[in-house]
């Protein structure tokens, strides 16, 4: 290669030159990971032989197409900026920069243990200089030096600094840095645990068993039918509920003087529609699975088959194996199964069952017989695993508790060639005489596990390369099936011997059942218990005789005094086109301008943090049992702390970037639900104000320097105690510098002077005063908002209060001069309650959201009291249910919404659909090509209420009526539709005249 010539590294060379750097979070969790995938006989690779790619490379590979196109477009664009488009170009560049930044990993996710030690030494150097904390500039230099990332974006470092410095002091210490890292790690672990939540439906569904004879085993078919066999040979088919579908006694078909027979075990040959039972008479009997009629049997076995198993080894091939009291595992391999079984079905019958002795069966060219001496005690379980092509057996004897071995003996090449020549000589098949003398496997043909007190049950999984064992010592051990030295994990928790194990590979879970009827679900990666169903809760009592897990029905069947069914609670699966942000109702949402992040809270107290620029989830915390449902939220003035109110009457202040609860605001005595809260500024002091179902206003001083975790409110205002609300307070809003308004469930609005603590004025809607006796009228005021606009002075004061009224109306009030009702207009075209009000920064546009998911935009400057209803500038349907959050982000010209339909969405100011937070595709908030527009949310599209109200769709209208809509409308007494206004509206929106007089809901055009 010529010197000085730059050559791009090949992929292989690039992998060798790139050192994989793991984060401290991954290093802390490596000890709990399950072994990687593999198969029996395959060489297990060292974990260092194929290092994984870093997260940054994965993110670069996953860059969306719109981003690649936009980057190429920006690179080829001229440097001149058209006049008047400076702000737009700046926003687009900011969005691209943010997207580039987010395509690289977060700083705190790339910090290794070595980096952490370097950072600690760097902090200590500052402390020796007399400084206990450092500012943002020094922190930036320290991070770049200690992490070896000189080209790290300064915005990322500053963002990390602000996350740690939640109080805005401008300095952080080593202790605060460590606290942030630990809280972040704990919150992520809790979020991971919450995502793995699983439970059984308790109590179990029971079906009483009237007999006292034990059930030897339970198996389920693909269609969910459950089959059980009792010791006396009674076969019962159950529905999943369970209900008995068919019952038959298999051993009463012969003569009356026949000896009593008992069943030792059974299994299903589903591929061949057969039921196979092992008996105490040393027989293996086969029955038709659909009719339970006898088919054939193999008798004259040398020993009783204690445990029976069947494996499908290939087209028309199978493996039958059983373990016995001698510690041997007998294997019968059958090829051309259909023809072989049909041949045996034609043989002479013994006791009404076609019979063939095992000595004659093995003479068939389609049958191979081998018997292994494996254990020194009774075989407790024996299974064939096709994915490993191995037979696994267990016993209660410690020295050979569990053995994984080959099916047939593996011999050297010369011996194999000799056997082939003998078998194929002159086209004749030579069969050796059957020998019941068991063979011993070579040490290279098996892996022996020595386990304390032996093994009663086990399971093997190829996907996770995992073997699990359980027995008398009440421990579940996890093993790499290729190495028998030490278990990779031990799961403790059972208080009785373990009798059943099952690995659910698709969910990375282990199910274990103990003799005392306790069922546990374990997580493979974290190796901890996810759920426990104890007998007291499940209602399963008596001696357990058999149990089985049905993958088809996602439930456990346990036979004790009753046949019990423990069903897993299955999360409802959404349509593939449906996207949700949370798994439960979203109660509120908000936007932090400091971090350009969206925060949403749910009824289950889960808080999720989203990135506004791309829509991806940044962080998640909450959702623990000690937290009450979240009902409201707000940010501090700097946007670095989050305040949430709950149904338990408490407010909590959070550092929402690491999930740390900084303080709890709580009243003494009985607490009632908090309905709304705000951050209030009075002069230079800040307060948290909350209202709710206790019908009083609570004010808490904001004192971050106060180290007490629980803070009490200030004494209530005297005017509030004597003349305050008589019903639950639903909403609170501030009008700086000195006004606060509160609204209640009975429709009353009170404006307060926060300096004096006295009532400024009190409002009651004239409409409510006239219609107090109307039944079912919703008089509540869930949302109020102040407006300050000098252009409103021509008909009332520049300070106005807007409130949601009855039947979809919005009321306007004059706050000054003692308060005065100015007017009202119908904001919801369908007379639905307005649940949220929001305004732009200049107080010119009003956004109103109703309970069926519509958003309306009104220009307040065009409002006149004499006008019955102003014309809506725009409207669209954003959700299918009540909107719980509405905020305008003026700097980005977008609208943020949340709803009880589990979604949080982002829209342009004109109603164009940008996306749903939580969707798989990322967006660029200022790059329209990345938006979902012109599409609309799928659930909005298919919702019955979104069907357009057109004459041709009306069942009571003739086609001719649709041709002349003017006449039809006049006949119905409806107003004639007007043409679109000159205002240019996006294709996803309607003019209000398009639906004038309509009472049905429509979907935006262009869908």
């Amino acid at each position: 290669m010529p010197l000085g010539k730059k050559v791009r590294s090949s992929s292989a060379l690039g992998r060798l030159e790139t050192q994989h750097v793991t984060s401290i979070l991954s290093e802390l969790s490596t000890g709990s990971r399950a072994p990687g995938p593999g198969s029996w006989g395959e060489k297990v690779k060292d974990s260092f032989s194929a290092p994984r790619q870093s997260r940054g490379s994965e993110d670069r590979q996953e860059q969306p197409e719109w981003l690649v196109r936009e980057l190429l477009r920006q690179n080829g664009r001229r440097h001149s900026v058209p006049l008047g488009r400076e702000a737009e170009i700046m926003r687009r560049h900011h969005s691209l920069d943010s997207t580039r930044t987010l395509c690289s990993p977060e700083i705190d996710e790339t910090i290794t243990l070595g980096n952490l030690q370097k950072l600690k030494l760097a902090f200590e150097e500052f402390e020796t200089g007399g400084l206990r904390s450092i500012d943002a500039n020094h922190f930036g230099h320290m991070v770049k030096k200690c992490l070896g990332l000189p080209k790290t974006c300064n915005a990322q470092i500053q963002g990390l600094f602000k996350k740690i410095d939640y109080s805005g002091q401008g300095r952080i210490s080593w202790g605060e840095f460590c606290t942030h890292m630990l809280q972040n790690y704990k919150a992520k672990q809790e979020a991971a645990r919450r995502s793995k939540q699983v439970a059984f439906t308790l109590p179990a569904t029971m079906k009483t068993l009237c007999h006292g004879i034990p059930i030897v085993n339970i198996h389920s078919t693909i269609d969910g039918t459950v089959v059980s066999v009792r010791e006396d040979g009674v076969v019962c088919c159950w529905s999943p509920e369970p209900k008995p579908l068919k019952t038959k006694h298999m051993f009463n078909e012969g003569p009356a003087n026949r000896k009593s027979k008992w069943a030792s075990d059974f299994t299903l040959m589903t591929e061949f529609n057969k039921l196979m039972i092992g008996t105490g008479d040393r027989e293996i009997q086969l029955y038709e699975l659909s009719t339970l009629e006898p088919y054939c049997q193999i008798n004259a076995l040398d020993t009783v088959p204690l445990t029976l198993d069947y494996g499908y080894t290939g087209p028309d091939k199978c493996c039958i194996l059983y373990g016995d009291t001698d510690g041997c595992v007998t294997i019968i391999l059958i090829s051309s199964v259909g023809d072989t079984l049909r041949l045996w079905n034609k043989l002479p019958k013994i006791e009404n069952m076609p019979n063939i002795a095992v000595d004659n069966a093995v003479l068939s060219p389609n049958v191979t017989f081998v018997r292994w001496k494996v254990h020194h005690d009774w075989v407790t379980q024996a299974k064939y695993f096709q994915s490993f092509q191995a037979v696994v057996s267990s016993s209660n004897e410690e020295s050979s508790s569990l053995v994984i071995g080959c099916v047939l003996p593996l011999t050297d090449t010369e011996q194999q060639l000799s056997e082939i020549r003998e078998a194929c000589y002159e086209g004749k098949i030579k069969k050796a005489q059957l020998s019941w003398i068991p063979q011993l496997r070579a040490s290279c043909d098996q892996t022996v596990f020595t386990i304390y007190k032996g093994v009663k049950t086990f399971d093997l999984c190829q996907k996770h390369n995992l073997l699990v064992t359980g027995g008398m010592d009440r421990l579940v051990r996890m093993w790499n099936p290729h190495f028998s030295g030490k278990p990779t994990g031990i799961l403790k928790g059972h208080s009785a011997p373990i009798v059943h194990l099952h690995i659910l590979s698709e969910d990375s879970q282990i199910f274990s059942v103990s003799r005392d009827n306790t069922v546990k679900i374990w997580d493979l990666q974290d190796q901890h218990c996810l759920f426990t169903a104890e007998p007291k809760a499940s209602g399963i009592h008596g001696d357990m005789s058999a149990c089985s897990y049905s993958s088809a029905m996602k439930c456990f069947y346990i036979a004790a005094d009753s046949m019990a069914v423990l069903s897993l609670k299955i999360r409802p699966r959404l349509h593939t086109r449906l996207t949700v942000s949370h798994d439960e109702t979203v109660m509120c949402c908000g936007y932090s301008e400091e971090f350009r992040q969206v925060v949403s809270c749910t009824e289950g107290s889960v808080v999720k943090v989203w990135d506004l620029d791309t829509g991806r989830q940044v962080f998640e915390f909450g959702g623990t049992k000690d937290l009450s449902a979240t009902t409201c939220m707000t940010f501090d003035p700097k946007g670095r702390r989050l305040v949430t109110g709950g149904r338990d009457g408490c407010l909590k202040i959070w550092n929402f970037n690491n999930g740390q609860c900084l303080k709890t605001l709580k009243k003494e005595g009985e607490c009632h639900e908090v309905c709304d809260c705000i951050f209030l500024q009075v002069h230079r002091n800040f307060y948290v104000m909350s209202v709710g179902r206790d019908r009083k206003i609570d004010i808490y001083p904001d004192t971050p320097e106060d180290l007490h975790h629980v803070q009490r409110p200030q004494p209530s205002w005297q005017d509030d105690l004597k003349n305050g609300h008589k019903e639950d307070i639903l909403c609170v809003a501030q009008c700086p510098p000195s006004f606060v308004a509160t609204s209640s469930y009975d429709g009353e609005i009170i404006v307060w002077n926060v300096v004096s603590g006295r009532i400024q004025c009190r409002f009651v809607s004239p409409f409510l005063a006239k219609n107090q006796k109307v039944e079912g009228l919703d008089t509540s005021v869930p949302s109020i908002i102040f407006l300050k606009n000098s252009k409103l002075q021509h008909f009332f004061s520049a300070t106005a209060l807007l409130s949601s009224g009855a039947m979809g109306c919005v009321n306007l009030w004059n706050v000054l001069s003692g308060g005065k009702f100015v007017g009202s207009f119908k904001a919801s075209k369908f007379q639905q309650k307005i649940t949220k009000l929001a305004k732009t920064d200049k107080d010119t546009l009003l956004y109103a959201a109703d309970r069926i998911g519509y958003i309306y935009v009104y220009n307040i400057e065009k409002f006149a009291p004499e006008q019955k209803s102003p014309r809506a500038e725009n409207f669209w349907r954003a959700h299918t249910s009540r909107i719980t959050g509405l905020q305008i982000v003026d700097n980005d010209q977008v609208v943020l919404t949340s709803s009880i339909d589990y979604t949080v969405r982002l829209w342009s100011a004109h109603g164009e659909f940008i996306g749903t937070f939580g969707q798989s595709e990322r967006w660029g908030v200022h790059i329209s090509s990345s938006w979902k527009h012109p599409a609309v949310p799928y659930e909005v599209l298919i919702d019955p209420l979104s069907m357009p109200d057109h004459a041709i769709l009306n069942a009571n209208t003739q086609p001719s009526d649709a041709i002349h809509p003017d006449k039809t409308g006049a006949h119905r007494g409806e107003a004639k539709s007007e043409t679109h206004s000159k205002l240019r509206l996006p294709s996803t929106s309607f003019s209000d005249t398009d639906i004038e007089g309509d009472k049905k809901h429509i979907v935006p055009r262009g869908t």
Side-chain angles (χ1 to χ4, degrees):
M1 177 171 36
L3 294 176
K5 183 178 179 180
K6 294 184 179 180
V7 179
R8 179 180 295 176
S9 301
S10 67
S11 58
L13 185 59
R15 285 194 294 269
L16 291 175
E17 293 176 350
T18 303
Q19 181 181 3
H20 171 57
V21 181
T22 57
S23 69
I24 182 175
L25 304 184
S26 62
E27 289 183 15
L28 290 173
S29 59
T30 50
S32 60
R33 289 181 179 168
S39 60
W40 181 251
E42 179 185 357
K43 183 178 179 181
V44 180
K45 298 180 181 179
D46 187 16
S47 59
F48 295 100
S49 61
R52 297 170 298 171
Q53 292 181 346
S54 64
R55 177 180 170 180
S57 62
E58 291 177 357
D59 286 338
R60 283 191 293 271
Q61 293 174 0
E62 296 176 1
Q63 286 184 5
E65 293 183 3
W66 62 262
L67 176 59
V68 176
R69 291 196 303 266
E70 193 67 23
L71 291 174
L72 292 174
R73 189 180 299 115
Q74 291 292 334
N75 290 336
R77 184 169 293 172
R78 65 188 182 191
H79 294 286
S80 60
V81 178
L83 190 62
R85 296 187 59 195
E86 296 87 348
E88 179 186 351
I89 296 298
M90 290 299 294
R91 283 197 299 265
R92 292 175 69 90
H93 278 291
H94 174 77
S95 179
L96 284 174
D97 292 341
S98 301
T99 307
R100 285 193 190 100
T101 301
L102 288 167
C103 284
S104 59
E106 297 287 343
I107 295 178
D108 50 358
E109 294 179 355
T110 60
I111 297 178
T112 64
L113 290 174
N115 297 146
L116 200 62
Q117 293 174 351
K118 293 179 181 179
L119 286 171
K120 180 182 178 182
L121 294 176
F123 270 99
E124 290 177 349
E125 289 180 7
F126 274 86
E127 291 181 0
T128 55
L131 297 175
R132 293 185 175 273
S133 57
I134 62 174
D135 58 16
N137 291 331
H138 287 96
F139 179 74
H141 294 306
M142 182 186 303
V143 168
K144 290 183 178 182
K145 180 180 178 182
C146 296
L147 270 61
L149 302 173
K151 297 182 180 180
T152 302
C153 177
N154 289 328
Q156 276 191 305
I157 299 177
Q158 294 299 318
L160 177 59
F161 183 87
K162 291 177 181 178
K163 292 176 182 179
I164 302 172
D165 181 30
Y166 58 84
S167 59
Q169 297 178 355
R171 306 185 71 87
I172 62 173
S173 65
W174 168 248
E176 292 171 336
F177 178 83
C178 291
T179 300
H180 172 80
M181 294 292 295
L182 289 174
Q183 289 290 337
N184 192 288
Y185 175 71
K186 286 174 59 179
K188 289 183 177 180
Q189 290 292 95
E190 180 62 27
R193 182 202 63 79
R194 187 165 51 251
S195 66
K196 299 174 182 177
Q197 281 183 344
V198 64
F200 287 112
T201 301
L202 299 178
T205 305
M206 301 287 189
K207 180 63 179 179
T208 304
L209 301 176
C210 301
H211 55 80
I213 304 173
I215 292 176
V216 297
N217 211 336
I218 303 171
H219 289 284
S220 59
T221 60
I222 300 175
D223 62 356
T225 303
V226 179
V227 182
S228 66
V229 175
R230 292 189 341 213
E231 278 191 359
D232 59 355
V234 174
V235 177
C236 183
C237 297
W238 306 78
S239 66
E241 285 73 23
K243 293 181 180 179
L245 301 176
K246 183 190 301 184
T247 301
K248 185 176 183 180
H249 202 304
M250 298 299 193
F251 298 159
N252 283 346
E253 299 288 336
N257 59 353
R258 172 181 171 178
K259 296 181 180 179
S260 61
K261 186 180 293 187
W262 55 275
S264 58
D265 196 7
F266 89 99
T267 189
L268 301 179
M269 302 174 65
T270 53
E271 288 80 6
F272 303 101
N273 193 37
K274 297 294 184 291
L275 170 73
M276 183 165 55
I277 301 177
T279 72
D281 291 349
R282 297 181 298 168
E283 300 166 337
I284 296 178
Q285 297 185 341
L286 275 70
Y287 299 84
E288 287 285 358
L289 182 58
S290 54
T291 62
L292 299 183
E293 292 297 323
Y295 195 81
C296 65
Q297 72 175 9
I298 304 174
N299 72 344
L301 303 178
D302 190 58
T303 55
V304 174
L306 294 180
T307 175
L308 196 63
D309 191 44
Y310 153 84
Y312 182 72
T313 58
D316 209 21
K317 296 179 181 179
C318 75
C319 169
I320 299 174
L321 68 150
Y322 64 90
D324 55 29
T325 56
D326 294 339
C328 297
V329 176
T330 303
I331 303 172
I332 302 175
L333 298 174
I334 306 176
S335 59
S336 301
V337 178
D339 293 339
T340 303
L341 295 184
R342 280 190 290 271
L343 179 62
W344 292 352
N345 180 251
K346 304 298 182 180
L347 296 176
K349 296 182 179 180
I350 296 180
E351 298 179 351
N352 200 32
M353 174 78 78
N355 179 81
I356 184 172
V358 66
D359 294 343
N360 297 325
V362 299
L363 294 177
S364 168
N366 299 326
V367 177
T368 303
F369 177 90
V370 63
R371 189 169 187 236
W372 296 110
K373 176 62 177 178
V374 184
H375 305 282
H376 303 287
D377 198 356
W378 290 15
V379 178
T380 56
Q381 189 176 2
K383 282 186 177 181
Y384 172 76
F385 292 91
Q386 172 64 19
S387 57
F388 285 82
Q389 295 186 0
V391 172
V392 186
S393 59
S394 61
S395 73
N396 290 323
E397 188 256 335
E398 292 186 18
S399 61
S400 57
S401 302
L402 184 135
V403 177
I404 304 178
C406 60
V407 178
L408 296 175
L410 302 180
T411 57
D412 61 331
T413 307
E414 292 184 2
Q415 185 174 350
Q416 289 183 22
L417 291 175
S418 175
E419 291 177 356
I420 292 174
R421 294 190 193 99
E422 292 180 4
C424 300
Y425 180 71
E426 293 182 355
K428 298 180 181 179
I429 302 300
K430 180 181 179 181
K431 297 293 293 185
Q433 293 294 324
L434 174 63
S435 174
W436 286 103
I437 301 175
Q439 304 180 47
L440 293 175
R441 289 194 185 102
S443 59
C444 60
D445 292 346
Q446 65 180 10
T447 303
V448 181
F449 294 80
T450 301
I451 303 172
Y452 177 66
K453 290 190 176 180
V455 173
K456 294 189 73 67
T457 181
F458 60 85
D459 199 9
L460 186 60
C461 174
Q462 181 190 23
K463 178 181 178 180
H464 298 281
N465 195 35
L466 178 68
L467 168 71
V468 290
T469 62
M472 297 296 294
D473 62 351
R474 302 166 294 177
L475 299 178
V476 178
R477 291 179 171 86
M478 305 168 63
W479 307 80
N480 184 326
H482 303 280
F483 304 103
S484 59
K486 290 184 178 180
T488 58
I490 298 178
L491 308 178
K492 301 178 181 179
H494 281 285
S495 55
I498 298 170
V499 295
H500 186 80
L501 288 171
H502 179 80
I503 300 176
L504 197 62
S505 59
E506 58 268 26
D507 294 330
S508 299
Q509 294 169 352
I510 301 173
F511 294 166
S512 61
V513 185
S514 58
R515 182 66 70 185
D516 60 355
N517 301 331
T518 299
V519 183
K520 287 182 177 288
I521 306 176
W522 309 83
D523 179 65
L524 273 179
Q525 294 181 344
D526 297 336
Q527 298 185 7
H528 73 275
C529 184
L530 299 174
F531 186 79
T532 300
E534 297 180 346
K536 187 176 181 180
S538 64
I540 303 174
H541 301 290
D543 294 333
M544 180 190 304
S545 58
C547 65
S548 176
Y549 178 77
S550 172
S551 300
M553 303 308 299
K554 300 289 184 182
C555 58
F556 252 111
Y557 293 89
I558 300 176
D561 289 348
S562 303
M563 176 66 81
V565 181
L566 274 176
S567 302
L568 280 175
K569 292 182 179 179
I570 306 298
R571 294 181 180 177
R573 292 188 176 181
L574 299 173
H575 190 279
T576 54
R577 295 186 181 180
L578 296 181
T579 300
V580 296
S581 308
H582 290 267
D583 295 328
E584 54 196 350
T585 299
V586 183
M587 302 299 293
C588 49
C589 69
Y591 171 67
S592 169
E593 187 175 358
E594 181 76 4
F595 298 106
R596 293 188 61 79
Q597 290 175 344
V598 172
V599 177
S600 56
C601 305
T602 70
E603 192 174 23
S605 72
V606 175
V607 180
K608 287 188 177 182
V609 184
W610 313 87
D611 177 66
L612 179 75
D613 291 304
T614 61
R616 76 177 181 99
Q617 182 178 332
V618 179
F619 192 63
E620 176 184 348
F621 66 94
T624 56
K625 295 181 180 179
D626 60 322
L627 295 176
S628 176
T630 303
T631 55
C632 57
M633 59 163 283
T634 187
F635 291 100
D636 71 345
K638 294 182 179 179
R640 299 189 185 184
R641 290 178 295 161
L642 173 71
V643 182
T644 60
R647 288 203 180 135
D648 58 356
C650 298
L651 292 104
K652 293 184 179 293
I653 303 179
W654 305 86
N655 180 346
F656 60 91
N657 282 292
N658 61 20
Q660 180 184 7
C661 182
L662 306 173
K663 193 170 293 188
T664 299
L665 312 180
K666 183 180 181 181
K667 295 176 61 175
E668 293 184 355
E670 185 179 3
C671 297
H672 299 273
E673 178 181 333
V674 178
C675 295
D676 198 10
C677 61
I678 60 171
F679 241 98
L680 183 70
Q681 181 177 1
V682 181
H683 303 306
R684 296 183 179 180
N685 300 321
F686 292 94
Y687 303 88
V688 177
M689 176 179 286
S690 67
V691 295
R693 299 197 181 278
D694 62 353
R695 306 174 183 179
K696 296 293 181 289
I697 300 174
D698 296 321
I699 302 176
Y700 301 85
D702 179 33
T703 54
E705 66 277 1
D706 186 2
L707 300 180
H708 293 87
H709 184 72
V710 179
Q711 184 176 333
R712 304 299 180 185
Q714 290 182 344
S716 299
W717 295 331
Q718 289 300 314
D719 221 359
D720 185 22
L721 296 175
K722 297 178 181 179
N723 305 312
H725 288 280
K726 302 298 186 293
E727 282 290 340
D728 300 345
I729 306 176
L730 303 180
C731 185
V732 58
Q734 183 191 14
C735 179
S738 57
F739 286 160
V740 164
T742 56
S743 61
S744 62
Y745 185 77
D746 59 0
E748 185 180 42
I749 302 173
I750 301 177
V751 180
W752 307 80
N753 188 316
V754 295
V755 178
S756 63
R758 294 187 176 275
I759 295 177
Q760 177 74 16
C761 52
R762 189 188 299 262
F763 303 136
V764 177
S765 173
F767 180 82
L768 297 180
K770 296 178 182 179
N771 299 273
Q772 288 181 350
K773 297 182 180 180
V774 177
E775 295 183 1
L777 185 65
D778 187 358
T779 61
S780 63
V781 184
S783 184
I784 54 179
I785 190 173
F786 280 98
L787 285 178
K788 283 188 175 183
N789 193 320
S790 58
K791 295 184 179 181
L792 303 177
Q793 291 181 354
H794 63 284
F795 58 88
F796 63 89
S797 168
T799 301
L801 177 69
L802 276 69
S803 65
S804 55
M807 301 178 66
C809 293
V810 171
N811 300 327
L812 284 83
W813 310 86
N814 188 344
V815 176
L816 303 180
S817 304
K820 177 184 176 182
F821 176 72
V822 176
S824 176
F825 67 91
K826 184 178 69 173
S828 173
K829 301 300 180 183
F830 311 106
Q831 299 184 4
Q832 297 295 321
K833 190 75 175 182
I834 298 297
T835 58
K836 288 294 177 181
L837 294 171
K839 63 179 181 178
T840 56
D841 284 345
K842 296 181 180 179
D843 291 3
T844 56
L845 294 179
L846 173 71
Y847 286 74
D850 65 15
R851 66 173 55 178
I852 60 173
Y854 276 95
I855 296 177
Y856 304 89
V857 185
Y858 291 93
N859 190 333
I860 296 300
E861 294 180 351
K862 297 181 181 179
F863 174 76
E866 64 276 4
Q867 185 180 1
K868 184 177 180 180
S869 180
R871 180 189 183 89
E873 301 291 315
N874 191 8
F875 74 95
W876 69 92
R877 195 175 190 190
H879 299 271
T880 56
S881 304
R882 178 169 60 91
I883 293 179
T884 59
L886 176 65
Q887 185 169 347
I888 315 302
V889 185
D890 285 273
N891 293 337
D892 300 282
Q893 292 293 296
V894 294
V895 180
L896 175 67
T897 63
S898 65
S899 170
I900 62 175
D901 62 6
Y902 300 6
T903 61
V904 183
R905 294 193 171 117
L906 195 65
W907 310 81
S908 74
H910 300 291
E912 297 159 318
F913 182 35
I914 297 177
T916 300
F917 289 94
Q919 68 183 32
S920 57
E921 308 90 0
R922 297 183 184 180
W923 65 67
V925 72
H926 298 298
I927 303 174
S928 58
S929 61
S930 68
W931 298 355
K932 289 290 187 178
H933 176 77
V936 297
Y938 182 72
E939 54 268 42
V940 173
L941 182 66
I942 65 174
D943 188 76
L945 297 180
S946 298
M947 180 65 66
D949 184 29
H950 195 277
I952 199 65
L953 300 176
N954 194 332
N956 298 325
T957 304
Q958 298 298 326
S960 59
D961 296 336
I963 300 175
H964 305 285
D966 295 344
K967 295 181 181 180
T968 306
H971 177 71
R972 292 198 304 260
E974 297 179 353
K976 234 189 326 185
S977 294
E978 301 176 1
T979 58
H980 283 288
S981 65
K982 294 182 179 180
L983 177 66
R984 185 178 181 183
L985 299 177
S987 59
T988 55
S989 307
F990 278 108
S991 166
D992 62 335
T993 57
D994 286 335
I995 57 163
E996 186 66 31
D998 290 24
K999 303 305 178 186
K1000 295 184 180 180
H1001 313 310
I1002 57 178
V1003 68
R1005 293 176 180 170
T1007 56

